Every structure is written in C-alpha cells, then in structure tokens.
Amino acid sequence: MPYESWLPALLPHFKEGFSNALQELLQEKNLCQSVSINLNFIKTWAFESDEASGQDFYQNRKDQPAAGEKDQNVGAQVLNANWYPEGCAPTGEAQPIPGSRALRVASYSFPLPPIKWSCEECLERSVFKADLPRCRFVAGKDHDDEQSLLLSYECQACRGWRVRFFVSRKGEKLELSGRDAIAMQPVPRSVPAAVAHYFSEAQVAHRSGLSLAAFLLLREFIEQFWRSLPEMQEALSWSSQMTAIEVGECYATQLPLEFKAEYPSLTDCHNWLSNSILEPSLYRDRFEYCLRDVVEHLDGRRFRRLSTYREFEEARAV
Ligand SMILES: [Zn+2]
C-alpha cells in the first residue's frame, strides 16, 4: 500500500497513543518509571487493510513482506519521526513532504493531555493543563526516535500552582526522567497531620515501585495513628511493651459497633500489610486496596466525629 494511503489512516491512532501514554505516565508513574505507547492498532489496521484488498493476511508470499514484518516497518517509520506536542513545533526541522519516503526527518504533533494532579493551593486533586508557552521539545541528536520533553502544567482551579515534568522518549517508551514536585503526594484531610508523613511517604514508595517500603510505611502509619490517639493514651500508659497487634485490638474494642459494621477495619489492613511484607512482589496490588480501606476508615471517623484528635493535639502543644 502506498505511503499516501496509510499515513492519514494511522496518524490519528499514533496521536491518541502518544497522548494516552503521556497521560498515564504523568498521572500514575514516579521517577525513572516508564510506559509504552500502545501500538496494537497497527496490527488491526494491517489485518483490515489486507482483508479489504483481498490478500490473505497470514499468507507469506515471496514478492511481499510477511504481515508481521510489514507491521514493524510501518510502525518504525512513523515512530522514527519527531513527535512534538501541539504548539511546541521544533524549529529548523524538516516537515514531511507528501509522497516522499524521506520519513526520517518527518515531524508530527500530538495533543498534550490534561491530567489530574494534587494542587498545594487547592489542597485537592484537580485538573491540570499544559501551559504551552512554557513547554519545550528537543529532538535527539544521534537517533531519530529519541527526544526530550519539558512540560509545564498548571492547575485549572486556582491557576496558581504548577508542576513541571521532564519526559524522555526512546521509540515507543516514555520515561519520567524528572519532576519538580517529587515529595508531594495527596494526603486526605482525614489523615492527622502528626502522622501524615508516613502516609505520604508510603505512596511515594508505592509509586516508585518500592513495594516492601510501601507496605512497611503504610503499616507504620497505622501503628503510629493508633498510638497517637488520645483515647489510647491510658491503655498505653499501663504497659510500654504492648505489641502492635495488642494496640490494634485495644483500638478496635473502643470503636462503636455500628462503626465497625459500616467501615473497613484498620486491624485487617494491618494484618494484610504484615502478610504482604513477606512476599512484596506477589502482593503489590494489595497496597491500593489497603490504602483505600485506611482512607475510608479515617473518613468514617471524621464523618462520625469520633476523633478528638484536633483538641488533643492543641492541648498537647500548649
Ligand atoms: Zn489549584
């Protein structure tokens, strides 16, 4: 199939693929982690176009490349182009010439996706959009499919908070090489400030792929939360040798029965985390479940006004 025919058909899929991969990378990944651009549409397209032209997709004839080879060639040609964000055109780069096969210097654009990110001004997760005048594209010197992106995103709710990302691309892989708000992770309002750093660091560890550290930090958060509550101080004063399990049981006995029936148990989360620590790579997904249950539990306490934590903290500070 001639170049003029397949390029218009494939470009929208490439644009969508770049945009979706970048959104996943910026929202979900941490430093040094990467995502792959989904190129499955090339196989679908090759299958459909061969079917339409009456060719047997699986038949390997001498005068035509095999289907798999054709897929690779098509994908590589388009990937080898400069892929710059819309509004950040590379200067001095050659543009694609219709009908030309000189694709090594071709440049194509893709839309920068909006992302959900935590805003320190709004104190919640909000929509951030790219601030195009402050975004840059740099093409690689030696390899056509290597490039760098410096992206500035702005909170759309307050327009006062920004986060900047440094993204490296090599072929179909996008890697998060830098971010200027690395330490910040969303901490719900129901998490007491005195122990919030354990909660935040657990999320940083999880998003960095450090499962063991993430489990340990979230478990430590639960234990420190129990030990910091005013209603636990009397029991803790009786014995300085209470184990975490005993502290958890003591905490649970003080909760109203209807609360325990409605909200997840911190003791259960503590047990799951302890078990997960033994095989962190096997139970990586369990972190998200435990984190969700912990937040639901704490939100429940806040909603039911169970905690006298604020008053306790203020009294202790005097
Ligand atoms: Zn904001």
Side-chain angles (χ1 to χ4, degrees):
M1 186 179 286
Y3 160 67
E4 297 90 332
S5 304
W6 58 255
L7 189 64
L10 285 182
L11 273 184
H13 297 288
F14 269 100
K15 288 172 185 274
E16 188 182 357
F18 267 87
S19 201
N20 289 346
L22 188 64
Q23 187 179 52
E24 182 190 352
L25 183 78
L26 302 186
Q27 282 187 172
E28 311 294 339
K29 302 296 179 183
N30 217 306
L31 286 191
C32 301
Q33 291 187 312
S34 61
V35 297
S36 292
I37 299 162
N38 186 347
L39 299 174
N40 289 339
F41 62 86
I42 297 175
K43 287 178 186 166
T44 310
W45 164 81
F47 181 79
E48 286 173 351
S49 60
D50 277 356
E51 230 181 16
S53 63
Q55 292 179 20
D56 183 352
F57 181 73
Y58 296 104
Q59 189 179 359
N60 186 6
R61 295 185 302 191
K62 279 185 181 176
D63 57 337
Q64 288 194 355
E69 187 183 336
K70 176 183 167 184
D71 295 345
Q72 282 187 352
N73 290 343
V74 169
Q77 283 183 62
V78 184
L79 266 179
N80 280 350
N82 289 329
W83 277 95
Y84 62 91
E86 281 175 8
C88 306
T91 52
E93 299 287 346
Q95 296 299 311
I97 305 163
S100 165
R101 290 184 177 274
L103 288 179
R104 288 171 60 81
V105 291
S107 296
Y108 306 115
S109 66
F110 66 94
L112 283 175
I115 59 169
K116 287 215 164 174
W117 194 255
S118 301
C119 176
E120 280 201 0
E121 290 286 327
C122 302
L123 294 177
E124 60 186 34
R125 234 167 139 76
S126 58
V127 175
F128 279 60
K129 285 187 177 173
D131 184 10
L132 288 177
R134 290 170 181 79
C135 296
R136 297 289 182 273
F137 165 91
V138 180
K141 186 178 179 185
D142 299 323
H143 300 282
D144 296 324
D145 63 348
E146 286 186 9
Q147 63 187 54
S148 307
L149 300 172
L150 182 62
L151 305 174
S152 178
Y153 271 76
E154 186 179 66
C155 173
Q156 297 301 290
C158 67
R159 303 275 177 145
W161 184 255
R162 289 167 179 276
V163 58
R164 281 154 291 264
F165 302 93
F166 178 46
V167 177
S168 308
R169 175 171 86 91
K170 186 168 185 182
E172 63 193 79
K173 281 213 162 182
L174 299 177
E175 183 177 299
L176 188 60
S177 301
R179 192 179 66 210
D180 68 350
I182 183 170
M184 191 185 68
Q185 292 295 326
V187 176
R189 288 168 192 260
S190 55
V191 173
V195 290
H197 62 284
Y198 292 108
F199 187 94
S200 178
E201 287 172 8
Q203 287 187 89
V204 171
H206 175 65
R207 295 178 68 176
S208 303
L210 304 173
S211 298
L212 178 59
F215 289 137
L216 284 166
L217 282 161
L218 191 57
R219 190 179 69 169
E220 187 64 21
F221 165 77
I222 294 173
E223 292 176 14
Q224 293 299 327
F225 170 71
W226 286 335
R227 290 178 183 276
S228 65
L229 286 168
E231 59 264 37
M232 293 293 294
Q233 300 310 305
E234 188 179 349
L236 287 168
S237 68
W238 296 336
S239 168
S240 58
Q241 301 297 318
M242 283 176 81
T243 64
I245 293 172
E246 289 168 340
V247 174
E249 286 170 353
C250 180
Y251 168 79
T253 58
Q254 298 188 37
L255 290 172
L257 284 177
E258 65 270 20
F259 180 91
K260 286 199 270 192
E262 190 172 348
Y263 294 101
S265 158
L266 285 189
T267 316
D268 287 348
C269 287
H270 190 275
N271 289 338
W272 287 332
L273 290 165
S274 294
N275 292 333
S276 305
I277 284 164
L278 302 174
E279 287 279 0
S281 56
L282 201 62
Y283 298 117
R284 192 167 192 277
D285 292 345
R286 210 177 266 182
F287 181 87
E288 299 281 355
Y289 294 116
C290 287
L291 191 76
R292 184 197 60 198
D293 280 1
V294 167
V295 172
E296 268 186 41
H297 184 98
L298 296 179
D299 284 349
R301 286 183 63 92
R302 189 162 178 251
F303 178 67
R304 296 288 191 100
R305 300 182 184 279
L306 281 191
S307 184
T308 53
Y309 204 94
R310 183 178 294 277
E311 291 82 349
F312 174 71
E313 277 192 328
E314 286 171 356
R316 201 164 48 175
V318 172

